[in-house]
Coordinates of all heavy atoms in Angstrom, one line a residue:
N240 N -78.9 -51.1 -64.1 CA -78.1 -49.9 -64.7 C -77.6 -50.3 -66.1 O -76.5 -50.8 -66.2 CB -77.0 -49.5 -63.6 CG -76.5 -48.0 -64.2 OD1 -77.0 -47.4 -65.1 ND2 -75.6 -47.6 -63.5
R241 N -78.4 -50.0 -67.1 CA -78.0 -50.3 -68.5 C -77.7 -49.1 -69.2 O -78.5 -48.5 -69.9 CB -79.1 -51.1 -69.1 CG -79.5 -52.4 -68.3 CD -80.6 -53.2 -69.0 NE -80.9 -54.5 -68.3 CZ -81.6 -55.4 -68.8 NH1 -82.2 -55.3 -69.9 NH2 -81.9 -56.5 -68.0
G242 N -76.5 -48.6 -69.0 CA -76.1 -47.4 -69.7 C -75.5 -47.7 -71.0 O -75.7 -48.8 -71.7
P243 N -74.9 -46.7 -71.7 CA -74.4 -46.9 -73.1 C -73.3 -48.0 -73.2 O -73.0 -48.5 -74.3 CB -73.8 -45.5 -73.5 CG -73.5 -44.8 -72.1 CD -74.5 -45.4 -71.2
D244 N -72.6 -48.3 -72.1 CA -71.6 -49.3 -72.1 C -72.1 -50.7 -71.7 O -71.3 -51.6 -71.3 CB -70.4 -49.0 -71.2 CG -69.8 -47.7 -71.6 OD1 -69.8 -47.4 -72.9 OD2 -69.3 -46.9 -70.8
Y245 N -73.4 -50.9 -71.7 CA -74.0 -52.1 -71.2 C -73.6 -53.3 -72.2 O -73.9 -53.3 -73.4 CB -75.5 -52.1 -71.2 CG -76.2 -53.2 -70.7 CD1 -76.2 -53.6 -69.4 CD2 -77.0 -54.0 -71.5 CE1 -76.9 -54.8 -69.0 CE2 -77.7 -55.1 -71.2 CZ -77.7 -55.6 -69.9 OH -78.3 -56.6 -69.5
E246 N -72.9 -54.3 -71.6 CA -72.5 -55.4 -72.3 C -73.5 -56.6 -72.2 O -73.3 -57.6 -71.5 CB -71.1 -55.9 -71.8 CG -70.0 -54.9 -71.9 CD -68.7 -55.3 -71.3 OE1 -68.8 -56.3 -70.4 OE2 -67.7 -54.7 -71.5
W247 N -74.6 -56.5 -73.0 CA -75.7 -57.4 -73.0 C -75.3 -58.9 -73.2 O -75.8 -59.8 -72.6 CB -76.8 -57.0 -74.0 CG -76.3 -57.0 -75.4 CD1 -75.8 -55.9 -76.0 CD2 -76.4 -58.1 -76.2 NE1 -75.5 -56.2 -77.4 CE2 -75.9 -57.7 -77.5 CE3 -76.8 -59.5 -76.1 CZ2 -75.8 -58.5 -78.6 CZ3 -76.7 -60.2 -77.3 CH2 -76.3 -59.8 -78.5
W248 N -74.3 -59.0 -74.2 CA -73.8 -60.5 -74.5 C -73.2 -61.1 -73.2 O -73.4 -62.4 -73.1 CB -73.0 -60.4 -75.7 CG -71.7 -59.6 -75.4 CD1 -70.5 -60.0 -74.8 CD2 -71.6 -58.1 -75.6 NE1 -69.6 -59.0 -74.7 CE2 -70.2 -57.8 -75.2 CE3 -72.3 -57.2 -76.1 CZ2 -69.7 -56.5 -75.3 CZ3 -71.9 -55.8 -76.2 CH2 -70.6 -55.6 -75.8
K249 N -72.6 -60.3 -72.4 CA -71.9 -60.9 -71.2 C -72.9 -61.4 -70.2 O -72.8 -62.4 -69.7 CB -71.0 -59.8 -70.6 CG -70.5 -60.2 -69.2 CD -69.8 -59.0 -68.7 CE -69.2 -59.2 -67.2 NZ -68.5 -58.1 -66.8
Y250 N -74.0 -60.6 -70.0 CA -75.0 -60.8 -69.0 C -75.9 -62.0 -69.6 O -76.5 -62.8 -68.8 CB -75.8 -59.7 -68.6 CG -74.9 -58.6 -68.1 CD1 -74.7 -57.5 -68.7 CD2 -74.2 -58.8 -66.8 CE1 -73.9 -56.4 -68.2 CE2 -73.4 -57.7 -66.3 CZ -73.2 -56.6 -67.0 OH -72.4 -55.6 -66.5
R251 N -76.2 -62.0 -70.8 CA -77.1 -63.0 -71.4 C -76.5 -64.4 -71.3 O -77.2 -65.4 -71.1 CB -77.3 -62.7 -73.0 CG -78.3 -63.6 -73.7 CD -78.5 -63.3 -75.0 NE -79.5 -64.1 -75.8 CZ -79.8 -63.9 -76.9 NH1 -79.3 -63.0 -77.7 NH2 -80.8 -64.6 -77.5
S252 N -75.2 -64.6 -71.3 CA -74.5 -65.9 -71.2 C -74.5 -66.5 -69.8 O -74.0 -67.6 -69.5 CB -73.2 -65.9 -71.8 OG -72.3 -64.9 -71.1
R253 N -74.9 -65.6 -68.7 CA -74.9 -66.1 -67.5 C -75.8 -67.2 -67.1 O -76.9 -67.3 -67.9 CB -75.1 -64.9 -66.5 CG -74.1 -63.9 -66.3 CD -74.5 -62.7 -65.4 NE -73.4 -61.8 -65.0 CZ -73.6 -60.8 -64.2 NH1 -74.8 -60.4 -63.8 NH2 -72.6 -60.1 -64.0
R254 N -75.7 -68.0 -66.2 CA -76.6 -69.0 -65.8 C -77.8 -68.4 -65.1 O -77.8 -67.2 -64.6 CB -76.0 -69.9 -64.7 CG -74.8 -70.9 -65.2 CD -74.2 -71.6 -64.1 NE -73.4 -70.9 -63.2 CZ -73.0 -71.3 -62.0 NH1 -73.3 -72.5 -61.6 NH2 -72.2 -70.4 -61.4
D255 N -79.0 -69.0 -65.4 CA -80.2 -68.4 -64.8 C -80.3 -68.5 -63.4 O -79.6 -69.4 -62.7 CB -81.5 -69.1 -65.3 CG -81.6 -68.9 -66.9 OD1 -81.3 -67.7 -67.3 OD2 -81.9 -69.8 -67.7
I256 N -81.0 -67.6 -62.7 CA -81.3 -67.7 -61.3 C -82.3 -68.7 -61.0 O -83.3 -68.8 -61.8 CB -81.8 -66.3 -60.8 CG1 -80.7 -65.2 -61.0 CG2 -82.1 -66.3 -59.3 CD1 -79.4 -65.5 -60.3
K257 N -82.2 -69.6 -60.0 CA -83.0 -70.7 -59.7 C -84.0 -70.4 -58.5 O -83.5 -69.8 -57.5 CB -82.3 -72.0 -59.5 CG -81.5 -72.4 -60.8 CD -80.7 -73.7 -60.6 CE -79.9 -74.1 -61.7 NZ -79.1 -75.4 -61.6
L258 N -85.1 -71.1 -58.4 CA -86.0 -70.9 -57.3 C -85.4 -71.5 -56.0 O -85.6 -71.1 -54.9 CB -87.4 -71.6 -57.6 CG -88.3 -70.8 -58.3 CD1 -89.6 -71.6 -58.7 CD2 -88.7 -69.5 -57.7
D259 N -84.5 -72.5 -56.2 CA -83.9 -73.2 -55.1 C -83.0 -72.3 -54.2 O -82.8 -72.6 -53.1 CB -83.0 -74.4 -55.6 CG -83.8 -75.5 -56.3 OD1 -85.1 -75.5 -56.1 OD2 -83.2 -76.2 -57.1
Y260 N -82.6 -71.2 -54.9 CA -81.7 -70.4 -54.2 C -82.4 -69.6 -52.9 O -81.7 -69.1 -52.1 CB -81.2 -69.3 -55.0 CG -80.3 -69.7 -56.2 CD1 -80.1 -68.9 -57.3 CD2 -79.7 -70.9 -56.1 CE1 -79.2 -69.4 -58.3 CE2 -78.8 -71.5 -57.2 CZ -78.7 -70.6 -58.3 OH -77.9 -71.1 -59.3
V261 N -83.7 -69.6 -53.0 CA -84.5 -68.9 -52.0 C -84.3 -69.6 -50.6 O -84.0 -69.0 -49.6 CB -86.0 -68.9 -52.3 CG1 -86.8 -68.4 -51.1 CG2 -86.3 -68.0 -53.4
E262 N -84.4 -71.0 -50.7 CA -84.2 -71.7 -49.4 C -82.7 -71.7 -49.0 O -82.4 -71.6 -47.8 CB -84.6 -73.2 -49.7 CG -86.1 -73.4 -49.7 CD -86.9 -72.9 -48.6 OE1 -86.3 -73.0 -47.4 OE2 -87.9 -72.3 -48.7
D263 N -81.8 -71.7 -50.0 CA -80.4 -71.6 -49.6 C -80.1 -70.3 -48.9 O -79.4 -70.3 -47.8 CB -79.6 -71.6 -50.9 CG -79.5 -72.9 -51.6 OD1 -79.5 -73.9 -50.9 OD2 -79.5 -73.0 -52.8
I264 N -80.7 -69.2 -49.3 CA -80.5 -67.9 -48.7 C -81.1 -67.9 -47.3 O -80.5 -67.3 -46.4 CB -80.9 -66.8 -49.5 CG1 -80.2 -66.7 -50.9 CG2 -81.0 -65.4 -48.7 CD1 -80.7 -65.7 -51.8
R265 N -82.4 -68.4 -47.2 CA -83.1 -68.4 -46.0 C -82.3 -69.2 -44.9 O -82.2 -68.8 -43.7 CB -84.5 -69.0 -46.2 CG -85.5 -68.2 -46.7 CD -86.8 -68.9 -46.9 NE -87.9 -68.0 -47.6 CZ -88.9 -68.4 -48.0 NH1 -89.3 -69.6 -48.0 NH2 -89.8 -67.6 -48.6
E266 N -81.7 -70.3 -45.3 CA -81.1 -71.2 -44.3 C -79.7 -70.7 -43.9 O -79.2 -70.8 -42.9 CB -80.8 -72.6 -44.8 CG -82.1 -73.3 -45.1 CD -81.9 -74.6 -45.8 OE1 -80.7 -75.0 -46.1 OE2 -82.9 -75.4 -46.0
S267 N -79.0 -69.8 -44.9 CA -77.7 -69.4 -44.6 C -77.6 -67.9 -44.1 O -76.6 -67.5 -43.4 CB -76.9 -69.4 -45.9 OG -76.9 -70.9 -46.4

């Protein structure tokens, strides 16, 4: 949901999502 108040700089600085998280979610 990227409306007129979308703070792109805030989300751009987030850490990337990693493939390893798939196994973490499956196990947990």
